[in-house]
Amino acid sequence: MRIHFIQHEVFEAPGAYLAWAEKQQHEVTFSQVYRQDLLPDEIDSVDVLIIMGGPQSPDSSPSEYPYFDAKAEIAFIRRCIDAGKAVVGICLGAQLIGEALLAKYEHSPQKEIGVFPITLTAAGINDSKIAHFGSPLSVGHWHNDMPGLTPESEILASSAGCPRQIVRYTNLVYGFQCHMELTTEVVRLLIASEEDLLLQSQLHQFVQLPDVIQAYDYNEMNNKLHTFLDLLECAYRRSLVNK
């Protein structure tokens, strides 16, 4: 399997997603756009596309982030979806998936930074790829926005601060507003990149102190994410057989 990551910032690292790909001995490639890497020329070299988060939004301009071309990424994501690839977006990546499917991202009701529980919806409980998450499940968060919804999409999980934590767009396309890939190392990078986190924790209900975020054991959520990815890979392989 060929796994391609789009990574927007060094501190928005793939964490448990990359650990899964390496454990499965998949071929891994990157477009590290913060280093001005190009997107792949052809989608034939991709089986699973994973789009990471970032401080950007789908509306961010080149003047704000000269290395971030939202339109190019959205077009590439749409090509992958149309070609039947498995596609997973995290945070900004989830919002870009929605945009690729003509669903406008929105601001989340609450800013969330830290570890807070998500609750599966009825659709989530019945989704064979995430039902094993259980409900509630404590997961990582680091966001202000949330992905848009298409008429066909279904919300699979929500939190007290954000109603769209996991969205299924198709059987092979999922958007995760939450960050189940977080590890202690990734969290350290995120905390270092964040300005005034102590002040934010005083102003926002769902922003935790750095020491609390750093001390959390992320293994359970990582393992459940790995199972989701195993199941997504199986679904993708079945889709190839049925073509």
Side-chain angles (χ1 to χ4, degrees):
M1 293 283 287
R2 297 160 299 180
I3 318 298
H4 188 78
F5 288 94
I6 299 177
Q7 184 178 350
H8 300 102
E9 303 287 351
V10 67
F11 52 83
E12 291 277 359
Y17 285 98
L18 180 58
W20 167 79
E22 291 177 340
K23 180 180 69 174
Q24 300 297 83
Q25 298 185 319
H26 292 319
E27 178 184 334
V28 176
T29 54
F30 279 87
S31 293
Q32 294 176 320
V33 298
Y34 60 94
R35 293 180 172 172
Q36 300 187 345
D37 287 354
L38 299 176
L39 298 172
D41 290 329
E42 300 294 337
I43 61 172
D44 291 343
S45 63
V46 178
D47 291 306
V48 181
L49 176 65
I50 301 178
I51 313 109
M52 301 306 301
Q56 302 88 353
S57 79
D59 288 334
S60 291
S61 68
S63 62
E64 295 174 281
Y65 300 96
Y67 49 87
F68 175 60
D69 188 338
K71 290 183 178 179
E73 287 194 31
I74 289 167
F76 182 74
I77 291 167
R78 182 58 190 255
R79 288 174 61 205
C80 287
I81 293 172
D82 289 346
K85 309 296 184 180
V87 180
V88 180
I90 302 92
C91 200
L92 171 62
Q95 297 154 27
L96 292 170
I97 288 174
E99 297 280 328
L101 295 171
L102 305 181
K104 183 68 177 172
Y105 84 100
E106 298 179 41
H107 296 307
S108 174
Q110 298 285 342
K111 182 186 188 75
E112 292 180 301
I113 295 179
V115 181
F116 301 101
I118 58 171
T119 302
L120 297 185
T121 64
I125 292 170
N126 289 311
D127 185 288
S128 61
K129 300 184 194 68
I130 75 159
H132 67 280
F133 285 3
S135 187
L137 172 67
S138 292
V139 300
H141 305 270
W142 217 284
H143 72 100
N144 295 296
D145 298 324
M146 60 185 183
L149 302 176
T150 67
E152 298 79 18
S153 63
E154 290 198 81
I155 298 172
L156 304 183
S158 63
S159 69
C162 178
R164 303 175 192 171
Q165 287 290 353
I166 304 176
V167 178
R168 182 183 65 226
Y169 290 98
T170 76
N171 185 49
L172 295 176
V173 180
Y174 284 73
F176 283 73
Q177 186 57 55
C178 54
H179 290 264
M180 295 181 68
E181 80 281 3
L182 294 187
T183 63
T184 302
E185 180 181 356
V186 174
V187 164
R188 189 179 300 114
L189 293 171
L190 284 165
I191 290 173
S193 74
E194 194 73 37
E195 294 184 4
D196 298 324
L197 192 52
L198 286 173
L199 177 60
Q200 290 184 60
S201 69
Q202 297 170 8
L203 298 176
H204 299 281
Q205 179 182 0
F206 298 106
V207 175
Q208 292 175 327
L209 292 167
D211 289 349
V212 174
I213 305 171
Q214 190 71 58
Y216 191 77
D217 182 349
Y218 294 95
N219 285 321
E220 180 184 8
M221 81 170 77
N222 292 166
N223 290 334
K224 291 189 173 185
L225 177 64
H226 287 185
T227 300
F228 161 79
L229 293 167
D230 288 339
L231 294 168
L232 182 66
E233 179 187 346
C234 289
Y236 175 71
R237 291 187 185 276
R238 286 196 299 270
S239 75
L240 296 179
V241 173
N242 294 330
K243 278 188 176 180

